[in-house]
Amino acid sequence: MKNHILSVLMLLSGMAARAQQAPEAGLRSRYIQLVKGSEQSDFRRVELRSDIDTTWFRWKERGYSFGFVPGKTPMYTTVNGILSTPYMIQVRGNAEERNRKRWGYHVFEGYAKDDKSRITMLVNKHVEAERPVAELYYYSTVYNHDETAYNWFKIGSDVRQHSFMFGRDKALFYGSLKLTNALTLGAIGKEDISTTKPAGDDEQNAEKDAKYVNYKELKNGGDGTIFYDKDRDIVVIKIKGKWMKVAVEALPEGVSYDF
């Protein structure tokens, strides 16, 4: 009799444990799923998902919500550790692309220690020179498109005053530059210059602002600044703060090119 009662208690305990685990298992299967590779296959792949919750406290922070629609975007899924793969990390579009990554363009963001400035990589936000563009920049804590909103993005090394740095409108090369093709000077005329900065956002006034940038850089450019004056068909260079014409002459007799 004693053994019978013990068996019943063990059975009830097991049933209670399974009852407690069932909801938890159901929740896990909701957010962690094994999906079939194909209808004909028994092989599986893993899919992680988070809920859509407009009351999530992070949506109140610009760094999280900017560019997303909380009513359509799942909360961030966090890996609390180092993410490592022997293959690769890939970001692809889908039917909800504009709400699956910022505006459908941002594919990577890495935040600095201030938790505001960031490295951003985006794809196909713009079409320039007749082709879609992938863009990479270091954005500061100023949330606008002004020149001061962009820090230097350095390529080559982390050694100060070495390598190559890129900003919004300027590149600073500490190293030498070797070309395997031609060097083309900027062809700048009156139509490419504006002495005043246009009011408003630089992105919305990109063409007009570019003309002001031309003026500012040529005005503030130091000795050695050089460009092609397309209105007068001359090459000019700044020496001791004064613009001077570069002397050129016709090709020697017998010299010609097929291009």
Side-chain angles (χ1 to χ4, degrees):
M1 183 67 176
K2 182 179 180 180
N3 290 338
H4 178 70
I5 293 174
L6 183 61
S7 297
V8 172
L9 290 174
M10 292 177 64
L11 177 62
L12 291 174
S13 177
M15 291 175 64
R18 285 193 293 274
Q20 290 176 352
Q21 292 173 0
E24 184 180 345
L27 285 173
R28 281 200 301 267
S29 65
R30 179 177 173 179
Y31 303 110
I32 305 174
Q33 292 189 347
L34 291 176
V35 183
K36 293 183 67 173
S38 68
E39 291 298 324
Q40 299 79 25
S41 172
D42 289 329
F43 296 107
R44 300 289 192 269
R45 61 184 180 84
V46 177
E47 182 176 303
L48 305 177
R49 65 177 65 186
S50 295
D51 284 328
I52 294 174
D53 184 358
T54 58
T55 66
W56 185 43
F57 75 102
R58 289 295 189 186
W59 288 137
K60 297 177 182 179
E61 300 178 32
R62 185 186 180 104
Y64 284 83
S65 63
F66 200 49
F68 287 126
V69 179
K72 295 183 178 181
T73 307
M75 293 177 288
Y76 287 40
T77 300
T78 301
V79 177
N80 231 340
I82 298 172
L83 185 64
S84 175
T85 172
Y87 297 99
M88 68 177 183
I89 296 175
Q90 186 180 89
V91 178
R92 298 181 68 90
N94 53 64
E96 293 280 350
E97 181 178 287
R98 289 185 63 83
N99 298 309
R100 298 289 179 170
K101 56 181 186 282
R102 294 193 199 276
W103 300 282
Y105 309 128
H106 291 210
V107 297
F108 174 80
E109 290 179 352
Y111 281 77
K113 64 182 180 180
D114 60 19
D115 204 34
K116 292 181 179 179
S117 54
R118 67 176 186 264
I119 294 172
T120 298
M121 182 176 185
L122 46 84
V123 62
N124 283 19
K125 180 180 180 181
H126 300 113
V127 173
E128 297 186 37
E130 301 179 354
R131 296 185 183 182
V133 182
E135 296 158 84
L136 187 63
Y137 55 85
Y138 182 14
Y139 200 60
S140 74
T141 58
V142 184
Y143 285 101
N144 58 43
H145 294 105
D146 188 79
E147 182 183 10
T148 59
Y150 296 86
N151 294 327
W152 290 112
F153 196 102
K154 191 173 186 180
I155 297 176
S157 78
D158 62 348
V159 181
R160 288 176 298 174
Q161 294 186 313
H162 291 71
S163 300
F164 308 86
M165 302 201 301
F166 297 84
R168 196 198 74 164
D169 297 313
K170 184 182 295 185
L172 180 57
F173 286 17
Y174 288 116
S176 62
L177 175 64
K178 181 178 181 180
L179 301 177
T180 60
N181 208 309
L183 170 66
T184 302
L185 295 177
I188 301 174
K190 290 182 179 180
E191 66 178 6
D192 306 303
I193 294 290
S194 175
T195 59
T196 58
K197 181 176 177 61
D201 183 78
D202 290 354
E203 169 73 3
Q204 301 301 318
N205 300 296
E207 186 174 345
K208 292 180 179 179
D209 191 68
K211 295 180 179 182
Y212 172 71
V213 170
N214 285 346
Y215 167 78
K216 183 179 65 172
E217 293 302 318
L218 290 175
K219 181 177 179 61
N220 298 331
D223 291 346
T225 301
I226 188 170
F227 74 99
Y228 172 66
D229 181 345
K230 68 180 186 181
D231 292 337
R232 301 172 178 83
D233 289 323
I234 58 175
V235 175
V236 295
I237 186 171
K238 188 179 289 188
I239 298 177
K240 293 185 178 181
K242 183 179 179 180
W243 287 110
M244 304 185 72
K245 175 183 174 181
V246 176
V248 296
E249 59 184 37
L251 292 173
E253 185 177 350
V255 176
S256 62
Y257 304 101
D258 296 329
F259 43 80

